[in-house]
């Protein structure tokens, strides 16, 4: 066997040299060659390589403190040992011998500062077990001596290690180097001699151990002798046991007798328990039977109590309180008794509802008492509804008759009486709850009641409207308008004041009665229990400061074209149909008074239709509601009637204008033009709201005016332009102020202005051409020739020579003053509107100068050497005249 590397001095000196080369002066305690690998705790490790490694320890002293290291050195390429890694002994926490290595030479050293790292712990393999023990004992001694504790030892018998240390106490640590190839060295810094036993086990511990072991020394020599000894002792022990049993026979018999007596007692006890068990079972059955009967009695008692409660409740439903029965069967319907009647109705309604099959327990439905009581309640209901309906059918006409007999409720001569139904509605509201109960008890009874109310109230409203309308016509100070506007002498038909226009009477009628009709419609829908949205009292027509309080509900309304039934979308069609029938019966006939007032106003002043149309349109565009449908239809018909009447007036005016076409000759301004300005000014005063009606009238009248004017002008072709320019100028002059504020008239004003300019231009050109015909004919011929030849060739054409030019020029411009005066007299001739002549003469001079300037430009191209009167000279001549 090769000698241990621990005795290799050369290895130890090489390690010291390697440590010194790094600048450390540590003392080397032990140097040995080992093989290093990587392993895992509790698992077999694998060597990183098969070459041997050096493991050494070093101790470093600083003052009073000693530090111990385990250094790993390896050979460089030059065969010199170099430090590779340093481990601090103070961090050594575990020494584990790898169990999978049969030789026991491989172990792991665990350092606590390396446990948290992911690398596997280093694994060391010694050459033999002797080297392993020497190294590990050296490490443990250093830990014991310098650190005060030893690391945990796993996989190795500490006692065996102590025995080995004791046997090798005299052994001196030597260092031997092996002849294998390049290796790494590990140096342990401590004493050169190892005394392991004093470190592992003290002298006192060793003596105690020997004394303990001496107690178990049995002078065992050979195994066969010890076996014979054990056999003899076993036989002796068995004999002693048998003898002991023989001595206790009497005791056993006594025990058996006691057991027999005890078994007899047990059997008796068991028999008694069986008897008691049977009795208890019988008692349990009796108790259960008693409990069952008791439960049935309790259930029967509870059921009886519940039945009594139910019967009491049923009796409450079936009993009729005497005071209610008296009110329902024969009570009075006077206002003082209505509270009792309403309470009786409330009770009857609830009682009938409680006995309905859906509101009562099914087991009670077929009970004779319940069926009889239900029949009795129904009979009571029919009796009460019949009595109440008969009373109300008589009450409504009586209430209206009392109002009809009071003349103070109606307009009289010299006094307009505003209708006031507040007292009537107050009295009717006393029976509003009664009507609701009648409807809930028997809905069919509402039809005759509604008819009676509507028929009675219709008589009152028609008389009020008739008296009011008659008094309006009688008290009006408006007089009939003058003769038709477009006929008669020119000075007639001056616009009259409209302070007392008949439209004021119509406005009063609408202002008073339209809110009244809407209120009555709303009250009817509410009072007669129609299931539609009713109106709340508020302002009926927005924008009118004199309107009455009426409804603010606003819904979409589609009304028929004539007074009849209105269609209200979004409501129950059946309910609305009945409501519309009632509204028609309530308000039918009142339209005749409105029609009569409109016809009267039209006869007095046709232009009052403008104001009446504006008033009606304002009410139509105001808030609407379902219950006011008949009123909306009435307003639609009034608006249609007013539009038709005004259209008749416009048609008459157009017919009067057309009659001017039949005149043989018209000179000057046609009479209907200034009269139209008067009519327009008066129509503007009547506008009260929308302008549509007036603008349509303007369009129709002015259009026919211009058409007839063109036809009148064509009667005398020589005077066409004179007639047109005079009349168009008169139209502009008379409508100048209105055209600035009325867009429709402004359009026709501009149209007349264009026609006036065209007529002026034609007439002026005609006058100029008559007096300077040769001059401008020569210029026209030059223009025609210039289309086919150059200016230089024109003087060589027949009639275009310079001589011809001089003759033409002499004949045209000779006596220029007389010619211009003649042209002025020609303009003045046949002109009836003298105020137009100055402006027309200025236009004529300007047009002549423009034409003459054009003539001179042509002449300068054809006859550049000829001397002609210049434009400035011609302007001076015209200005001097």
């Amino acid at each position: 066997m090769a000698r241990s590397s621990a005795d290799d001095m050369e290895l130890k000196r090489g390690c010291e040299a390697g440590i010194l080369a790094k600048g450390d002066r540590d003392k080397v305690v032990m140097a040995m060659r080992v093989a290093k690998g990587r392993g895992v705790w509790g698992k077999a490790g694998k060597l990183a390589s098969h070459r041997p490694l050096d493991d050494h320890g070093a101790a470093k002293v600083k003052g009073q403190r000693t530090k111990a290291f385990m250094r790993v050195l390896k050979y460089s390429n030059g065969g010199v040992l170099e430090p590779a890694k340093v481990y601090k002994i103070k961090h050594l926490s575990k020494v584990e011998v790898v169990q999978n290595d049969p030789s026991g030479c491989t172990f792991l050293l665990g350092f606590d500062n390396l446990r948290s790292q992911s690398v596997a712990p280093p694994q060391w393999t010694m050459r033999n077990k002797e080297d392993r023990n020497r190294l590990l004992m050296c490490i443990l001694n250093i830990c014991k001596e310098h650190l005060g504790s030893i690391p945990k030892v796993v996989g190795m018998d500490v006692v065996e290690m102590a025995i080995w240390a004791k046997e090798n106490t005299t052994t001196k640590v030597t260092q031997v180097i092996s002849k294998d190839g390049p290796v790494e060295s590990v140096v342990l810094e401590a004493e050169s001699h190892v005394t392991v036993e004093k470190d592992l086990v003290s002298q006192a511990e060793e003596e105690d151990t020997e004394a303990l072991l001496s107690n178990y020394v049995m002078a065992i020599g050979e195994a066969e002798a010890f076996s014979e000894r054990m056999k003899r002792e076993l036989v002796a022990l068995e004999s002693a046991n048998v003898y002991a049993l023989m001595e206790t026979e009497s005791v056993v018999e006594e025990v058996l007798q006691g057991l027999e007596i005890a078994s007899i007692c047990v059997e008796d006890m068991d028999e008694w328990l069986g008897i008691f068990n049977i009795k208890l079972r019988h008692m349990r059955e009796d108790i259960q039977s008693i409990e069952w009967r008791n439960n049935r009695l309790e259930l029967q008692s509870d059921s009886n109590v519940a039945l009594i409660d139910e019967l009491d409740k049923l009796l409450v439903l079936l009993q009729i309180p005497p005071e209610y029965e008296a009110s329902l069967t024969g009570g009075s319907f006077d206002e003082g008794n209505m509270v009792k009647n309403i309470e009786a109705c409330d009770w009857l309604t609830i009682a009938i509802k409680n006995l309905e099959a859906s509101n009562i327990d099914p087991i009670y439905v077929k009970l004779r008492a319940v069926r009889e009581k239900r029949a009795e309640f129904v009979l009571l209901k029919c009796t009460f509804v019949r009595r109440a309906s008969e009373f109300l059918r008589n009450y409504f006409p009586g209430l209206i008759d009392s109002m009809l007999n009071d003349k103070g409720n109606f307009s009289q001569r010299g006094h307009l009486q505003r209708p006031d139904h507040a007292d009537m509605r107050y009295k009717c509201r006393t029976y509003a709850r009664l009507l609701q109960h009648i409807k809930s008890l028997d809905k069919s009874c509402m039809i005759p009641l509604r008819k009676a109310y509507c028929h009675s109230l219709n008589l009152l409203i028609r008389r009020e409207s008739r008296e009011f309308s008659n008094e309006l016509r009688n008290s009006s100070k408006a007089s009939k308008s003058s003769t038709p506007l477009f006929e008669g002498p020119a000075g007639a038909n001056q616009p009259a004041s409209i302070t007392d226009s008949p439209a004021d009477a119509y406005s009063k009628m609408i202002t008073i009665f339209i809110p009244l009709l809407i209120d009555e419609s709303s009250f009817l829908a509410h009072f007669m229990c129609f299931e539609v949205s009713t109106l709340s009292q508020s302002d009926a027509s927005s924008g009118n400061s004199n309107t009455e309080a009426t409804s603010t509900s606003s819904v979409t309304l589609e009304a028929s074209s004539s007074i009849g039934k209105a269609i209200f979308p979004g409501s129950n069609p059946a309910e609305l149909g009945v409501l519309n029938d009632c509204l028609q019966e309530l308000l039918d006939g009142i339209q005749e008074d409105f029609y009569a007032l409109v016809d009267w106003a039209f006869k007095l002043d046709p232009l009052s239709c403008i104001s009446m149309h504006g008033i009606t349109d304002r009410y139509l565009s105001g808030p609407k509601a379902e219950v006011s449908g008949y009123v909306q239809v009435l307003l639609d018909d009034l608006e249609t009637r007013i539009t038709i009447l005004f259209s008749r007036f416009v048609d008459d005016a157009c017919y009067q204008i057309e009659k001017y076409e039949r005149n043989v000759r018209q000179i000057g301004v046609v009479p209907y033009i200034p009269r139209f300005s008067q009519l327009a000014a008066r129509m503007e005063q009547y506008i009260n709201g929308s302008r549509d009606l007036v603008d349509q009238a303007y369009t129709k009248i002015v259009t026919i005016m211009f058409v007839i004017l063109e036809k009148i002008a064509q009667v005398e072709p020589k005077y066409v332009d004179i007639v047109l320019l005079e009349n168009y100028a008169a139209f502009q002059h008379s409508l100048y102020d209105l055209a600035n504020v009325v867009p429709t008239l402004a359009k026709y004003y501009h149209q007349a202005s264009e026609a006036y300019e065209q007529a002026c231009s034609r007439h002026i050109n005609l006058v100029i051409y008559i007096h300077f015909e040769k001059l401008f004919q020569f210029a026209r011929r030059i223009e025609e020739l210039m289309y086919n030849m150059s200016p230089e060739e024109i003087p060589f054409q027949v009639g275009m020579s310079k001589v011809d030019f001089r003759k033409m020029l002499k004949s045209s411009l000779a006596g220029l003053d007389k010619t211009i005066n003649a042209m002025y007299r020609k303009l003045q001739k046949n002109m009836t509107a003298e105020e137009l002549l100055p402006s027309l003469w200025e236009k004529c001079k300007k047009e002549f100068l423009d034409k003459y300037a054009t003539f001179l430009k042509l002449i300068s191209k054809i006859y550049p050497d000829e001397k002609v009167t210049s434009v400035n000279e011609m302007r001076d001549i015209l200005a001097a005249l």
Side-chain angles (χ1 to χ4, degrees), residues 304-323:
N304 291 335
V305 173
L307 178 60
I308 292 173
D309 293 339
E310 288 296 327
L311 291 176
D312 290 339
K313 294 178 181 177
L314 185 59
L315 287 176
V316 172
L317 297 178
L318 299 180
Q319 289 178 350
I320 303 176
E323 63 275 12

Side-chain angles (χ1 to χ4, degrees), residues 264-282:
I264 293 172
C265 293
V266 169
E267 291 175 359
D268 295 340
M269 184 65 69
D270 182 62
E271 184 177 355
W272 280 102
L273 289 176
I275 294 171
F276 289 145
N277 188 29
I278 292 172
K279 292 182 178 182
L280 289 174
R281 184 170 65 251
H282 290 167

Side-chain angles (χ1 to χ4, degrees), residues 102-220:
S103 64
C105 297
T106 303
F107 59 92
L108 300 173
L109 296 179
F111 295 90
D112 54 10
N113 60 339
L114 301 178
R115 292 292 293 272
S116 61
Q117 299 180 4
S118 60
V119 297
Q123 178 178 288
W124 315 92
T125 303
M126 311 301 294
R127 290 187 175 184
N128 49 50
K129 207 169 185 179
E130 190 78 12
D131 285 352
R132 184 205 72 180
N133 291 341
R134 294 183 66 181
L135 177 60
L136 293 181
M137 290 305 297
C138 180
I139 292 174
L140 293 176
N141 288 333
I142 293 175
C143 291
K144 181 74 173 178
E145 181 179 356
H146 297 287
L147 302 179
S149 62
I150 61 174
K152 182 179 179 181
V153 179
V154 180
M156 186 171 56
D157 192 355
V158 180
V159 177
E160 181 184 352
M161 289 290 292
I163 296 172
W164 180 88
K166 188 175 181 181
E167 293 176 352
N168 292 275
T169 52
T170 57
T171 304
K172 186 177 180 180
V173 178
T174 58
Q175 297 148 351
V176 179
I177 187 170
S178 125
K179 296 182 180 180
D180 296 335
V183 297
E184 293 182 357
S185 300
V186 179
V187 179
L188 186 62
E189 298 177 4
E191 298 293 335
S192 59
H193 297 283
V194 180
T195 56
V196 178
E197 65 281 5
K198 73 176 182 179
D199 295 325
L200 292 180
V201 183
S202 62
Q203 184 66 32
E205 292 174 346
E206 184 178 359
E207 292 176 355
D208 292 339
T209 303
E210 290 177 354
L212 179 61
L213 292 176
S214 63
N215 294 332
Y216 294 93
V217 175
M218 292 178 285
I220 300 174

Side-chain angles (χ1 to χ4, degrees), residues 507-566:
S507 177
K508 290 180 181 179
M509 185 75 175
I510 288 288
T511 302
I512 297 298
F513 275 88
I514 292 302
L516 174 67
L517 298 181
I518 294 176
D519 287 348
E520 290 299 337
S521 301
S522 175
F523 184 77
L524 171 67
H526 176 75
F527 181 59
M528 287 298 169
C529 306
F530 285 98
E531 296 177 359
V532 294
S533 61
T534 56
L535 294 172
S536 60
Q537 299 301 316
S538 62
D539 199 9
S541 49
S542 57
N544 188 354
S545 61
N546 297 323
T547 54
E548 297 295 312
T550 183
S551 169
T552 55
S553 320
S554 180
V555 295
T556 304
L557 171 68
E558 296 179 0
S560 59
S561 60
S562 63
I563 294 185
K565 293 180 179 169

